[in-house]
Amino acid sequence: MLIGLFGVAFASNFWFALACIVVVGSSAAFGENVTLGFLSKFPSHLVNAWSSGTGMAGLLGSTIYIIFGCSVGNGEDKTKDLHTLTKYAFLLTTPVVLVYWLAYFIVIKTEKEQPVEIFVNNEEDSERTPILENVSDYEINGEYDVESSCQRIWRCLKLILWMGFNLCAVYVFEYVARGCAAKVRHKSEYHVGCPELYAALQLCYQAGVFVSRSSVQMFTIKRVYVLTLLQLINMILWIFDVHWKFLPVTVLPALMIFVGLLGGASYVNIFYQILHSDKYPTADRELCINITALFITLGICLGTALETSLFTTVLKHD
């Protein structure tokens, strides 16, 4: 993460910056996956703390972006100053990496796991001999069969497939909607005022994400597919508005908050259910969470690909 952040801050050209962004994104995705899996060792409601933290991160990041942008001002003559402040914005985030490291390795403590005892019959005597092994087993018709790693992954994938699909779909729809915010109004309405329109809409999105990702201790949503369907409607509405621009600018902040609320609610409720529901075996929760988290990256990739294809084809001249 540090290599990526310093690389972006001091990048001399676009392609080097892009490579460093890949490093930042990879480390962030890996860290999120590890942390979500780590939550399987704690009470399920604590996923609210992690998800709320991720929501606050987005809110702070977009706020810093707006503060720096407003301090520089608008206009082409301000581009150099804005690049300088952007560099310091990335450098400002680097101490958080140390905080994360300290929290994960020093502050957060878990109870030591007890090894599982597997008893086998000793043919030489009638006593049962305990053997401590790291093996995975599952019950079929009252008997335990040892399964391979691939079999276990496949079984867990089938368990979380519906949740993973909904998480992926929500990310696809919200990333397209967020991208549409850059073209949803006429060009003359961007890069003016403080906060600038696109930055303001992204702040609204992050505010919605923060609120909904902090909500699971107050209420839970089991039918996550409802959130997915509503986000699909959101995406279609934003795509249509890019072309026809029929929504007044005063409506857009509330609509973008709604996009954030749906995305954040889907995230926290899906992981809460995997950590809480008896459908997912305790011994498999960490793996189930790890597999589900992969659908986040899949959704982001598909969403940005769809957004790019739309902006280079049917929405190219909008």
Side-chain angles (χ1 to χ4, degrees):
M1 177 65 81
L2 286 174
I3 291 173
L5 290 173
F6 281 116
V8 172
F10 295 103
S12 58
N13 59 73
F14 172 76
W15 294 107
F16 182 77
L18 194 63
C20 293
I21 289 172
V22 171
V23 174
V24 172
S26 300
S27 58
F30 180 79
E32 182 175 28
N33 200 316
V34 170
T35 304
L36 285 168
F38 194 42
L39 285 171
S40 63
K41 303 179 184 297
F42 298 90
S44 56
H45 66 270
L46 288 183
V47 70
N48 193 79
W50 164 258
S51 59
S52 180
T54 61
M56 177 56 73
L59 194 59
L60 288 175
S62 56
T63 300
I64 291 172
Y65 186 84
I66 286 176
I67 291 174
F68 279 20
C70 290
S71 65
V72 171
N74 308 115
E76 294 184 2
D77 58 320
K78 305 292 185 179
T79 301
K80 184 177 180 180
D81 294 334
L82 187 59
H83 284 173
T84 301
L85 283 180
T86 300
K87 178 181 74 173
Y88 288 112
F90 279 102
L91 294 177
L92 188 64
T93 64
T94 54
V96 181
V97 179
L98 177 60
V99 175
Y100 179 89
W101 188 92
L102 290 172
Y104 189 86
F105 287 103
I106 297 177
V107 178
I108 302 173
K109 301 293 183 181
T110 60
E111 295 182 0
K112 292 184 178 180
E113 295 183 351
Q114 297 298 324
V116 179
E117 292 189 354
I118 302 174
F119 290 90
V120 298
N121 290 328
N122 192 325
E123 296 180 356
E124 296 181 358
D125 54 62
S126 58
E127 295 182 359
R128 292 167 59 193
T129 304
I131 299 179
L132 303 181
E133 295 181 347
N134 293 320
V135 298
S136 176
D137 54 274
Y138 61 101
E139 187 176 8
I140 299 179
N141 298 327
E143 298 181 356
Y144 283 92
D145 289 339
V146 176
E147 64 179 348
S148 67
S149 296
C150 290
Q151 288 174 324
R152 186 182 179 216
I153 292 172
W154 176 246
R155 176 170 56 81
C156 290
L157 175 61
K158 290 188 291 184
L159 277 175
I160 61 88
L161 191 58
W162 176 241
M163 292 297 185
F165 168 77
N166 279 277
L167 190 61
C168 176
V170 161
Y171 267 85
V172 170
F173 303 151
E174 71 180 52
Y175 265 72
V176 173
R178 290 179 64 190
C180 287
K183 302 186 69 173
V184 76
R185 298 300 299 170
H186 299 283
K187 291 182 179 180
S188 60
E189 297 182 41
Y190 292 94
H191 305 296
V192 295
C194 179
E196 187 267 343
L197 178 59
Y198 180 76
L201 291 176
Q202 297 308 308
L203 178 64
C204 292
Y205 165 81
Q206 298 295 350
V209 169
F210 171 65
V211 170
S212 57
R213 288 196 179 192
S214 308
S215 65
V216 78
Q217 285 182 292
M218 292 180 286
F219 59 89
T220 58
I221 301 172
K222 293 184 177 180
R223 298 178 179 178
V224 293
Y225 64 87
V226 175
L227 302 173
T228 307
L229 291 174
L230 289 174
Q231 198 72 297
L232 172 61
I233 295 172
N234 260 337
M235 181 190 72
I236 294 172
L237 182 61
W238 281 88
I239 291 175
F240 282 179
D241 197 43
V242 168
H243 183 68
W244 283 289
K245 296 178 172 51
F246 58 90
L247 291 175
V249 70
T250 53
V251 175
L252 298 180
L255 190 59
M256 187 56 77
I257 290 174
F258 188 48
V259 173
L261 286 172
L262 292 175
S266 180
Y267 178 99
V268 69
N269 281 279
I270 283 175
F271 285 113
Y272 174 76
Q273 288 190 43
I274 295 175
L275 286 166
H276 183 75
S277 175
D278 294 334
K279 175 183 176 181
Y280 309 97
T282 301
D284 295 320
R285 288 191 196 276
E286 183 173 4
L287 180 58
C288 287
I289 291 170
N290 290 154
I291 296 173
T292 305
L294 294 176
F295 283 86
I296 296 176
T297 303
L298 178 61
I300 293 173
C301 291
L302 293 176
T304 50
L306 177 58
E307 172 192 336
T308 303
S309 63
L310 287 172
F311 285 178
T312 54
T313 55
V314 294
L315 302 177
K316 183 177 181 179
H317 300 293
D318 293 314

